[in-house]
Amino acid sequence: MMKQNHISELRLAIIGLISMQPQSGYSLRKFFSTTPMGRFSSSPGAIYPALKRLEEEGWIAGAIDNADSLRPKKVYSLTEEGTRALHLELTKAVTREDIIWNLDGLILRFPFIEQLGLSEVLRFLTQFEEEVSRYIPTLENYLDGVSEEITLCGRLAMQQGIDGYRGMARWARHAIEEISTHRPDPTQGEN
Amino acid sequence: MMKQNHISELRLAIIGLISMQPQSGYSLRKFFSTTPMGRFSSSPGAIYPALKRLEEEGWIAGAIDNADSLRPKKVYSLTEEGTRALHLELTKAVTREDIIWNLDGLILRFPFIEQLGLSEVLRFLTQFEEEVSRYIPTLENYLDGVSEEITLCGRLAMQQGIDGYRGMARWARHAIEEISTHRPDPTQGEN
DNA sequence: CGATACATGTAACCGGTTACATGATTTT
DNA sequence: AAAATCATGTAACCGGTTACATGTATCG
């Protein structure tokens, strides 16, 4: 079935955000509840246990802020091990299984990959575009094969899925272009 | 958070398929594992317990086929209560929460709605199109608001989400058209 | 006779949801 | 003084995943 070869979306979102800037449970909750990234959970009942587990596993380390005050805050940073784990996850090859079972996780990975450099981003997008484009004919063939026996709405629902994948491939191509032509900022030069 | 005002995708898929034709655990597994609808689980460890629960709740009833043979089969049909529950689920209004948290479930509903008649299908599509179209500006406004502080890939990821929703709205409009012009088969006439 | 398809299930594990619990600080 | 926000957690529940367990029937 091959559904779970990856870390959960919540874990990825948490360590990804922490990698950009140290975060407390509360700041994560706030971010999730005020941005469209809230699609990846929220509620304290998910976040605090997840943070605890990540700390137990040594991926993140919490430092108490305002230790003396009456309202202390626990701010987590990535450990070296956590950084390694995150980078490993972000650079994993994009597989058809991901395309089918873990699309949201894939899109979630994307913004965090930027830290690894634009070449990594391009590698990801290229793989993504290729896997998606390769999957579409499979779906089309299936649809062709059953179009006699399927109901009208069944066909339309499948069409929706195919259109969705087509849109993603298009998006990836567009993103590749935008990133490729992204000014290496000639006024600064990089030598 | 409002995530769980609906039955699980697996349950919906199961009772939806049973409503089209009585099914055994095995036939469901087979269907899931050989069609793109397998996105909604599979594995016996999910299906058999789900069937048991649905039977306990009185939504489905199992009849033993080949009772005398050494390889009996349990074929489930919808009860009246199950039919009511399914129809209730299928005719629920499409909300923004669904659009955000339960998109897959919404698309899964779609082919089963056809049994309720094309007017129900059109009602669903109209609501779907409207809710999606209303949600898009919210996302666009958010993106505009943060475009200064967001990273390149963060923006592109958001753009992907918006494009996805736009594609869905387009699909819904297209589906409405296709269904509306769907020949009411003039050779038969309905009076 | 071995492989594949038919057929149904269980048990340990994991992690997300919901709801609850507590209390400090700041704003109105 | 009340309300909102800051801040962190726990506990019961639910259901999906993985892996295991068992046995029959059919086909080559």
Side-chain angles (χ1 to χ4, degrees), chain A residues 1 39 42 100 155 178, chain B residues 1 39 42 100 155 178:
Chain A
M1 193 75 325
R39 275 185 51 72
S42 49
I100 298 175
R155 185 172 58 73
E178 188 155 338
Chain B
M1 193 79 322
R39 274 184 52 74
S42 49
I100 298 175
R155 184 172 58 73
E178 188 156 337

Side-chain angles (χ1 to χ4, degrees), chain B residues 124-142:
Chain B
F124 173 83
L125 284 171
T126 309
Q127 279 185 17
F128 180 80
E129 198 276 334
E130 195 174 323
E131 278 306 324
V132 171
S133 294
R134 261 214 285 260
Y135 185 42
I136 292 172
T138 308
L139 293 173
E140 280 172 334
N141 284 342
Y142 174 80

Side-chain angles (χ1 to χ4, degrees), chain A residues 4 11 18 22 27-28 30 40 45 89 93 101 117 120 123 133 148 154:
Chain A
Q4 214 105 283
R11 282 167 82 94
I18 289 177
S27 69
L28 287 167
K30 207 174 137 194
F40 312 99
E89 185 67 22
W101 302 106
E120 264 311 309
R123 201 187 52 76
S133 295
E148 306 285 274

